[in-house]
Amino acid sequence: MIIKYSPAARKKLAQMKKTMGSDKVGIIVNSISDLKFNPLKCPSVERMLGISSRYYFLHIEHNYIFYRIEQECIFITDIYNEKEDFMWKMFGIKLRTDESIDYWGE
């Protein structure tokens, strides 16, 4: 299988390289590359979060890497830092209340 990255995922990796450094991004890219040998090793979004979805996710270096398995390809859709609200950004599911957002100013 080959690994393909969405433009959004490529952009985030480039940003991460600037802020985290090449070594940390290298760890992430190597972990993604290992998916070629066992793409089902990571949990599915459906199984872990109960959301009907074709996505799987890999958690590495404080980041969630979302991917889906296509015919002969693993497609890396997006990458989120664990501080980001990926549930809202990917699935439109709001887990935080307006009160907590107002309180924390986020």
Side-chain angles (χ1 to χ4, degrees), residues 22-41:
S22 296
D23 291 342
K24 292 282 187 181
V25 173
I27 292 169
I28 293 169
V29 170
N30 286 338
S31 295
I32 290 170
S33 198
D34 287 345
L35 292 172
K36 290 188 275 190
F37 307 108
N38 187 4
L40 297 173
K41 76 176 186 176

Side-chain angles (χ1 to χ4, degrees), residues 2-90:
I2 61 169
I3 306 283
K4 290 186 181 179
Y5 293 85
S6 72
R10 286 188 185 282
K11 184 177 179 180
K12 286 195 181 169
L13 284 172
Q15 290 171 341
M16 291 165 65
K17 191 173 184 178
K18 290 178 186 175
T19 59
M20 296 170 51
S22 296
D23 291 342
K24 292 282 187 181
V25 173
I27 292 169
I28 293 169
V29 170
N30 286 338
S31 295
I32 290 170
S33 198
D34 287 345
L35 292 172
K36 290 188 275 190
F37 307 108
N38 187 4
L40 297 173
K41 76 176 186 176
C42 297
S44 71
V45 168
E46 186 166 7
R47 186 172 64 90
M48 290 300 290
L49 304 173
I51 299 168
S52 181
S53 173
R54 297 180 357 187
Y55 291 102
Y56 294 82
F57 67 94
L58 171 65
H59 186 257
I60 187 79
E61 293 292 321
H62 305 289
N63 294 283
Y64 291 99
I65 293 88
F66 286 89
Y67 67 95
R68 66 180 182 262
I69 302 166
E70 298 180 349
Q71 293 174 355
E72 292 297 318
C73 164
I74 297 165
F75 187 73
I76 308 301
T77 308
D78 217 331
I79 301 169
Y80 295 101
N81 183 278
E82 60 189 17
K83 294 179 183 178
E84 291 181 84
D85 190 357
F86 68 86
M87 291 292 286
W88 174 253
K89 291 177 180 177
M90 278 199 71

